[in-house]
Amino acid sequence: MKKIDIKDLGKFKLVGGLDVYRRKVAFTVSEISIEKDDYFSKIYVYDSRKVVQFTSGPKDSNPRFSPDGKFMAFTSKRHKESKEAELYLIPTTGGEARLLTKFKFGINDYEFSPDGKTLAVITPVEIERKKKKDDVHIIKEIPFWFNGIGWIYGKRNHIYLVDVESGKKRKLTRGNLNVQTLKWSKDGSKIYFVAQEDRGKKPMISDLFVVDLKSKKVEKLTDSKWRIGDLVPLEDGTFILRTNTLERGIPTNTHIYHFNPETKEVKKLTAKLDRSAYNSLNCDVRGPSRNPLVYKDGWVYYIATDGPRANLFRVNLDGEIERVIGGDRSVETFGIGEYIAFITQDATTPTELYILRDGKERKVTDFNAWIREYKLSKPEHFKVKASDGVEIDAWIMKPVDFEEGKKYPAVLEIHGGPKTAYGYSFMHEFHVLTAKGFVVIFSNPRGSDGYGEDFADIREHYGERDYQDIMEVVDEALRRFDFIDSERIGVTGGSYGGFMTNWIVGHTNRFKAAVTQRSISNWTSFFGTTDIGYYFAPDQIGGDPWNNTEGYWEKSPLKYAPNVETPLLIIHSMEDYRCWLPEALQFFTALKYLGKTVELAIFPGENHDLSRKGKPKHRVKRLELIVGWMEKFL
């Protein structure tokens, strides 16, 4: 059998973005073209009997069925010369797609009205217009940019109504509101939506609003205390909300609530399951998908991260919770018609479409059949009892051609977040390393999602219990698996994992090579330069750089640069607005100034999502750099 290679990245088919009407399922299949250095996508339809390609592409996605099932809307970019996002409509019986309209700054989301005659579209809008030829940025607010988008100052997301027959559009919301998601009322006279009222001063707060389509009057229904992510309006005038109450700041789990706007009564439906109501598992080969919230027959269906797995759950209004789709895997998205359609993956199987009907599950696509020709290392789970008695989930993956009695180098992988998780999802990077002869070690230390709020809450304690957990995982792996060469262990991670890699090399010399990616090296500079810095750093580190100057410096890996002895490769993207380029530059400069072994790789035109959504050739180059660095020093 074959070994997986870096350039096999181009073979993955990324299945995602589904919608369901009765027995029909529309979904998107994306391809990664290394040769053309781009991504391409088409829409497919499963009609309960067979799967057929429905659109020709090259960049069709986000399908939505009309309420009567006669039409499908989708977004695309079919005109190469146009930079605008295009919205199309096509009969579900087939035929030519008709361009409805275009939006200059993209389409974030959209929904059909109950009668199918109107589409409500969320799109970025300039609320302060710049002169066309003026290339000077006059900035009056924070945040001024956002990762993967670019400049956002002077813009807000607003709702437009698009006539399905004529394609004419009219603006519905205005002003400072920043709309995030929407749902129509059953009679089509109102639209309920979630929006930020003041993203500069209250960046973590979003509220539930309603707008009357005749009067255009907007009313706020909640009290600016929560971060609301999604909603489902019920027939009795109450709502199902996916909400984070922020009681413990960012580590607070997002739960499902029942909300009565008249009485302001709020009930946490998922109180019996201390887990986040979304999928937070890491994966580098997944397709774009919505995170649905579906109410059907008295049950609310939602995805939650439960340890190293993301499963489909349902909860009723009495708070009774059931696991609908379980297993050691990652449920990416789902839809409900006459059966449940869902997209899932696991550690050795990339994304595919499945259906659940009458309690029986069936796989209906096989776009990634090529993977069965490859010999893959399956993650082996082990528990680590930390020094304070808490159990930590950890895994190793043996080299593909593993031989008993032989010693192997190992690479410790650290996930980002920190409130995400590793688990039963496909990581191409891990399989590349095992194919190259490395053992891969990974874990979910304190700070990770999926294990409850107490476990996730490391605010003001970065580099303490989380660092201990990671080092104790390495100790336990060496004790259990004698084929790991303790003198040849490397470490790598991105975002929070990059911060932790920087922290590790400043606090121990036990690793012989390190690769830090999209990292944080200085919390003070992070506070003032990144899209989320001004609220993420105060939440995670405590206070701000003026009232906690010492704390910000104590938790900054830059402080410990003189201690670094591990050869370090720094990988960073030029347009990473989550952890901006200076985080890499200052750490590289410090280490070079101090005479350390360090190199810096900067990727132009890329952002914080280089490893997941970057240009295919850059993704290949990144993996080549990581493997090359580990091979050189291990």
Side-chain angles (χ1 to χ4, degrees), residues 125-264:
V125 176
E126 286 182 320
I127 60 172
E128 289 186 18
R129 298 216 168 184
K130 272 177 60 176
K131 293 179 181 178
K132 287 185 178 180
K133 294 183 180 180
D134 192 351
D135 61 354
V136 177
H137 296 279
I138 308 298
I139 301 171
K140 303 175 184 178
E141 62 182 19
I142 53 174
F144 40 83
W145 56 21
F146 197 83
N147 186 70
I149 298 176
W151 297 108
I152 62 170
Y153 71 91
K155 293 178 185 173
R156 297 293 186 274
N157 297 326
H158 280 295
I159 301 172
Y160 275 77
L161 299 180
V162 179
D163 183 85
V164 169
E165 186 64 33
S166 67
K168 289 183 179 179
K169 57 189 178 184
R170 61 186 176 96
K171 192 175 179 182
L172 182 64
T173 58
R174 301 178 185 277
N176 201 42
L177 288 176
N178 191 46
V179 181
Q180 297 170 327
T181 190
L182 64 83
K183 294 289 190 302
W184 289 81
S185 64
K186 189 176 181 181
D187 64 3
S189 66
K190 300 174 183 178
I191 290 178
Y192 303 101
F193 64 93
V194 173
Q196 293 171 298
E197 203 169 26
D198 188 342
R199 78 177 178 196
K201 293 181 180 179
K202 296 180 179 179
M204 291 198 287
I205 300 296
S206 52
D207 281 288
L208 175 64
F209 295 82
V210 59
V211 56
D212 184 277
L213 299 191
K214 285 187 178 179
S215 67
K216 292 191 178 180
K217 180 183 177 182
V218 176
E219 180 185 358
K220 187 167 73 169
L221 302 179
T222 50
D223 298 325
S224 300
K225 296 178 181 178
W226 313 322
R227 181 169 64 191
I228 301 173
D230 202 358
L231 72 142
V232 177
L234 302 184
E235 291 187 19
D236 63 358
T238 63
F239 294 86
I240 300 298
L241 301 178
R242 178 168 30 229
T243 299
N244 191 312
T245 60
L246 300 170
E247 293 171 275
R248 299 177 74 157
I250 291 170
T252 311
N253 278 339
T254 297
H255 281 276
I256 309 300
Y257 291 81
H258 183 221
F259 170 62
N260 186 326
E262 294 293 328
T263 64
K264 301 298 182 182

Side-chain angles (χ1 to χ4, degrees), residues 130-424:
K130 272 177 60 176
K131 293 179 181 178
K132 287 185 178 180
K133 294 183 180 180
D134 192 351
D135 61 354
V136 177
H137 296 279
I138 308 298
I139 301 171
K140 303 175 184 178
E141 62 182 19
I142 53 174
F144 40 83
W145 56 21
F146 197 83
N147 186 70
I149 298 176
W151 297 108
I152 62 170
Y153 71 91
K155 293 178 185 173
R156 297 293 186 274
N157 297 326
H158 280 295
I159 301 172
Y160 275 77
L161 299 180
V162 179
D163 183 85
V164 169
E165 186 64 33
S166 67
K168 289 183 179 179
K169 57 189 178 184
R170 61 186 176 96
K171 192 175 179 182
L172 182 64
T173 58
R174 301 178 185 277
N176 201 42
L177 288 176
N178 191 46
V179 181
Q180 297 170 327
T181 190
L182 64 83
K183 294 289 190 302
W184 289 81
S185 64
K186 189 176 181 181
D187 64 3
S189 66
K190 300 174 183 178
I191 290 178
Y192 303 101
F193 64 93
V194 173
Q196 293 171 298
E197 203 169 26
D198 188 342
R199 78 177 178 196
K201 293 181 180 179
K202 296 180 179 179
M204 291 198 287
I205 300 296
S206 52
D207 281 288
L208 175 64
F209 295 82
V210 59
V211 56
D212 184 277
L213 299 191
K214 285 187 178 179
S215 67
K216 292 191 178 180
K217 180 183 177 182
V218 176
E219 180 185 358
K220 187 167 73 169
L221 302 179
T222 50
D223 298 325
S224 300
K225 296 178 181 178
W226 313 322
R227 181 169 64 191
I228 301 173
D230 202 358
L231 72 142
V232 177
L234 302 184
E235 291 187 19
D236 63 358
T238 63
F239 294 86
I240 300 298
L241 301 178
R242 178 168 30 229
T243 299
N244 191 312
T245 60
L246 300 170
E247 293 171 275
R248 299 177 74 157
I250 291 170
T252 311
N253 278 339
T254 297
H255 281 276
I256 309 300
Y257 291 81
H258 183 221
F259 170 62
N260 186 326
E262 294 293 328
T263 64
K264 301 298 182 182
E265 182 183 357
V266 182
K267 180 181 179 181
K268 183 193 284 190
L269 300 181
T270 52
K272 294 179 181 178
L273 184 66
D274 185 18
R275 299 289 184 266
S276 294
Y278 51 78
N279 184 336
S280 56
L281 296 186
N282 286 269
C283 172
D284 54 7
V285 283
R286 63 165 34 117
S289 290
R290 290 195 297 172
N291 181 24
L293 192 62
V294 177
Y295 182 79
K296 187 175 177 65
D297 300 330
W299 293 90
V300 183
Y301 291 77
Y302 69 101
I303 296 170
T305 303
D306 183 21
R309 56 193 66 82
N311 290 165
L312 180 63
F313 292 84
R314 68 178 188 175
V315 60
N316 62 23
L317 297 186
D318 292 324
E320 297 302 318
I321 300 174
E322 295 180 357
R323 194 184 305 260
V324 180
I325 298 172
D328 290 343
R329 55 184 167 178
S330 171
V331 176
E332 302 288 293
T333 188
F334 70 97
I336 303 178
E338 293 183 13
Y339 48 74
I340 296 175
F342 64 102
I343 292 166
T344 191
Q345 59 168 314
D346 61 38
T348 56
T349 309
T351 51
E352 299 288 357
L353 174 68
Y354 294 72
I355 62 165
L356 179 68
R357 177 189 284 163
D358 300 326
K360 295 180 180 179
E361 184 180 312
R362 185 161 67 88
K363 181 181 178 184
V364 297
T365 65
D366 202 15
F367 289 103
N368 291 290
W370 63 272
I371 200 75
R372 292 194 288 273
E373 299 175 9
Y374 287 72
K375 188 177 181 182
L376 300 178
S377 177
K378 189 174 182 180
E380 299 177 31
H381 177 256
F382 63 102
K383 290 275 190 183
V384 178
K385 191 169 185 178
S387 51
D388 65 350
V390 174
E391 285 194 332
I392 307 298
D393 275 330
W395 296 263
I396 64 142
M397 294 171 67
K398 293 175 182 174
V400 168
D401 290 330
F402 177 78
E403 297 176 21
E404 292 287 350
K406 186 176 178 180
K407 291 279 190 178
Y408 291 93
V411 176
L412 170 68
E413 291 268 4
I414 306 172
H415 67 65
K419 201 173 186 286
T420 68
Y422 279 142
Y424 301 109

Side-chain angles (χ1 to χ4, degrees), residues 520-589:
I520 296 171
S521 65
N522 183 344
W523 283 105
T524 300
S525 58
F526 175 84
F527 172 91
T529 60
T530 80
D531 56 0
I532 65 171
Y534 66 100
Y535 64 89
F536 186 86
D539 182 81
Q540 299 291 288
I541 304 304
D544 58 42
W546 297 274
N547 61 36
N548 189 19
T549 304
E550 185 177 341
Y552 270 62
W553 184 236
E554 285 292 324
K555 296 302 180 186
S556 295
L558 188 62
K559 175 181 178 179
Y560 308 98
N563 301 340
V564 176
E565 299 297 335
T566 307
L568 181 67
L569 172 63
I570 302 172
I571 293 177
H572 219 95
S573 298
M574 286 190 74
E575 295 177 17
D576 184 344
Y577 302 141
R578 186 60 37 82
C579 300
W580 197 32
L581 185 59
E583 297 303 310
L585 298 181
Q586 60 191 307
F587 203 46
F588 173 75
T589 299

Side-chain angles (χ1 to χ4, degrees), residues 41 52 64 79 135 154 159 165 339 361 490 508 572 619-620:
S41 57
V52 296
R64 301 280 195 283
H79 298 87
D135 61 354
I159 301 172
E165 186 64 33
Y339 48 74
E361 184 180 312
T508 179
H572 219 95
R619 291 179 65 174
V620 167

